[in-house]
Amino acid sequence: MTQQDAPAVPGAGPDDQAPLLLYGEEFTQDPAPLYARARETAPIVRARVHEDVEVSLVVRYHTALKVLHHPEMSKNSGPWFEARERQGLPMPPVLEMMRVRPNALYEDGEEHRRLSTAVRDSLGRLDPPILRRTARETADRLVDTFAERGEADLMGEYAGVLPLQMFFAMFGVPDDLGLRIQQLTATVFDGGPEAAQANVELSATWQELVARKRREPGEDVASWLLAHPSSNDDDSEIINQLLLVMGAGTEPEQNLIASTLLQLLSDDSSYGRLLSGSQRIAEALETTLLDYAPMANYATHYPVRDLEIDGILLPAWEPVMVSFGSCNQDEALRGDATGGTGDSGYRAHLAWSAGPHECPAWSVAMMMASVAVEVLLDRLPDIELATPRPQLSWRPGPYQRGLSALPVVFPPQPVRPQDATADPYGSAGGHAPWQPSTTATAPSTPQRTPSPYDSTRSEATSTARQQPSAPRGLRRVWNSLAEWWRGR
């Protein structure tokens, strides 16, 4: 079907409705009303990720499933970028997150299966008990850095740091490269004017890591990925595979942890259910994934020919982006009085995407987030927001939904004894001695007594949350990861 033969598509084009702006103050602070109006218009609407870049945005749940599973939807953005270059159209930095790379995210068919197999198998060699133990020890060590102070920025000092330290350990990233990777990855995700240069520098940093791993391979995901039979002996491919897994596993993960903590700390009933054992941490995380999808708008696909889906024409090789943030709010998922899917939306959300490109490491992400929430609330049970929720700011950009900072206050707590704060990785390089799951055993060290927040605990252990006797007011926000890194 050509565009001339296509039926009318009310609400889908710029002539019918002003494009939804995925940037600006209104979108950044609260996109939910904008998503709701878009869903009332059509299942797929026009949207702008930048004033010079329009995409088709899928805003309804069932339509998103059709797009994510459609056999004639490609992930290859190359033809679209080439067309823009031929036409002399602008290439704003925000497009760096859409630019094609030789990794599992941007390939289709057999090539996708080859690349994704290498990623899945390499991640699968991590031993789950060691992974969980390391996450717990890393979380404890981070809490120690601010426990005595009585205040912290949980985004800059905790939620934004734990996933990075875990992935640096899992991938065998030396300390001298770690901070550089974190800073550059955050810049690319924000999509600001520095994103293009940050992308170049990030690739160079990963090139340095790959060169080191080729010289001295270790027991880590990066080394396993290099040695995998499905991997080509091509530095560019390995670098882009590493970029994919690291980027997908750190920025969205920190948003999941911070948004879950925000929900619990701003809603006494949610915190009370967790404390009493009537709600588990896993359920709180699923609620966050449903309400605040860490990757709000992404999973961009390109029709290999003109396609019509749910009455909307999608021209060949024009970007079709999925709004996980909107689709997860769709009544078709959440259910309503007229007969929706009801509670099935609890786990049927699209925060991990769906179809061939569904996140391969979602179980690892859930484990790390669960441990992060459990350890923090176990160590600092009287923690409170230092800034009212409506006054908190969110990071700009069309792709993610994440807080800029999460300032909190709490009664100062002593750090753990020195023997409990020793390097959890047991090696001079500061990285975990990962073993293939076929040979590794569970840790022999005694396990912590389960807390009322433990995701595996179901019985009630205490009563409702006790509030501090007096408000503490707004405290100084410590949101510089660089300062923390230098002072650790």
Side-chain angles (χ1 to χ4, degrees):
M1 177 180 291
T2 66
Q3 189 162 0
Q4 292 178 342
D5 298 329
V9 283
D15 294 336
D16 307 299
Q17 185 79 20
L20 172 60
L21 303 184
L22 303 183
Y23 56 88
E25 184 67 22
E26 182 181 9
F27 174 79
T28 300
Q29 288 303 115
D30 187 8
L34 301 177
Y35 291 148
R37 290 198 293 270
R39 287 193 302 275
E40 293 174 356
T41 301
I44 304 175
V45 301
R46 297 299 292 173
R48 287 178 181 165
V49 299
H50 183 272
E51 60 184 6
D52 294 318
V53 182
E54 279 197 13
V55 301
S56 294
L57 187 71
V58 184
V59 293
R60 293 184 190 168
Y61 177 74
H62 290 300
T63 305
L65 289 177
K66 294 178 183 178
V67 168
L68 294 169
H69 288 277
H70 202 290
E72 294 183 290
M73 280 288 184
S74 172
K75 291 286 289 180
N76 182 11
S77 64
W80 182 68
F81 273 90
E82 293 168 4
R84 290 186 67 87
E85 290 175 356
R86 288 195 302 268
Q87 298 170 42
L89 296 175
M91 294 287 186
V94 72
L95 292 185
E96 290 303 315
M97 283 284 288
M98 295 169 61
R99 191 178 294 277
V100 66
R101 291 181 172 88
N103 61 37
L105 180 63
Y106 294 96
E107 297 291 350
D108 307 308
E110 189 58 39
E111 187 68 359
H112 167 70
R113 283 187 285 274
R114 178 182 72 83
L115 293 167
S116 61
T117 295
V119 171
R120 290 177 187 274
D121 288 353
S122 298
L123 290 172
R125 294 183 65 176
L126 294 168
D127 186 78
I130 296 177
L131 194 65
R132 176 175 286 275
R133 182 189 67 183
T134 306
R136 187 181 298 279
E137 291 172 335
T138 303
D140 265 323
R141 185 157 41 87
L142 290 173
V143 173
D144 284 340
T145 65
F146 53 77
E148 291 182 308
R149 200 168 70 226
E151 61 182 4
D153 168 23
L154 293 184
M155 176 57 86
E157 297 180 270
Y158 190 70
V161 185
L162 187 146
L164 286 160
Q165 290 203 349
M166 287 295 297
F167 272 84
F168 291 162
M170 292 159 57
F171 283 74
V173 179
D175 291 342
D176 61 321
L177 299 183
L179 179 59
R180 198 190 318 169
I181 289 173
Q182 184 274 331
Q183 292 172 330
L184 293 171
T185 301
T187 301
V188 173
F189 266 79
D190 283 341
E194 301 85 8
Q197 180 60 33
N199 187 53
V200 173
E201 295 178 17
L202 190 58
S203 294
T205 304
W206 281 111
Q207 177 72 63
E208 185 176 344
L209 174 66
V210 169
R212 294 189 191 188
K213 293 300 176 183
R214 288 198 185 281
R215 292 194 303 269
E216 299 179 4
E219 290 295 321
D220 55 69
V221 174
S223 299
W224 295 332
L225 193 59
L226 277 164
H228 195 280
S230 293
S231 295
N232 289 332
D233 189 20
D234 178 357
D235 280 1
S236 177
E237 177 182 296
I238 296 298
I239 290 168
N240 281 283
Q241 288 273 72
L242 292 172
L243 281 168
L244 167 63
V245 182
M246 180 67 78
T250 53
E251 291 280 329
E253 179 76 358
Q254 73 175 30
N255 294 339
L256 172 59
I257 295 170
S259 293
T260 301
L261 289 171
L262 171 61
Q263 176 60 27
L264 292 171
L265 297 179
S266 60
D267 184 349
D268 284 340
S269 63
S270 294
Y271 201 160
R273 289 194 300 273
L274 191 68
L275 201 64
S276 68
S278 62
Q279 180 187 35
R280 297 190 304 164
I281 289 176
E283 294 168 344
L285 292 170
E286 294 286 1
T287 299
T288 297
L289 292 168
L290 192 64
D291 293 340
Y292 303 100
M295 290 302 292
N297 302 289
Y298 205 47
T300 310
H301 288 68
Y302 301 81
V304 299
R305 63 179 180 85
D306 288 357
L307 294 176
E308 182 187 331
I309 296 181
D310 289 349
I312 306 299
L313 175 71
L314 302 174
W317 298 111
E318 290 292 317
V320 181
M321 186 176 290
V322 177
S323 178
F324 301 127
S326 176
C327 293
N328 285 351
Q329 300 291 321
D330 193 346
E331 288 183 352
L333 171 65
R334 290 176 171 258
D336 58 23
T338 60
T341 58
D343 291 340
S344 66
Y346 178 71
R347 293 187 183 276
H349 59 73
L350 296 177
W352 306 116
S353 192
H357 290 84
E358 181 180 18
C359 175
W362 66 266
S363 60
V364 175
M366 287 291 282
M367 181 279 296
M368 285 196 292
S370 178
V371 169
V373 174
E374 175 189 340
V375 169
L376 183 81
L377 299 184
D378 186 33
R379 295 280 304 275
L380 307 172
D382 292 323
I383 193 169
E384 290 192 320
L385 293 177
T387 300
R389 179 168 180 159
Q391 297 178 22
L392 293 172
S393 62
W394 298 80
R395 292 173 65 182
Y399 306 119
Q400 64 177 332
R401 182 65 176 163
L403 288 159
S404 298
L406 184 58
V408 294
V409 293
F410 47 87
Q413 302 292 320
V415 299
R416 295 168 303 150
Q418 184 62 35
D419 60 349
T421 60
D423 175 47
Y425 305 130
S427 64
H431 301 300
W434 306 112
Q435 299 294 330
S437 58
T438 55
T439 60
T441 57
S444 59
T445 54
Q447 297 299 298
R448 173 190 301 183
T449 301
S451 79
Y453 313 102
D454 196 315
S455 58
T456 62
R457 187 179 177 94
S458 58
E459 69 271 19
T461 59
S462 60
T463 57
R465 179 186 184 192
Q466 297 297 313
Q467 301 293 335
S469 58
R472 294 177 173 270
L474 179 62
R475 304 298 182 91
R476 185 157 59 102
V477 176
W478 294 75
N479 59 5
S480 171
L481 176 58
E483 288 183 12
W484 173 84
W485 195 285
R486 289 193 297 269
R488 82 177 190 178

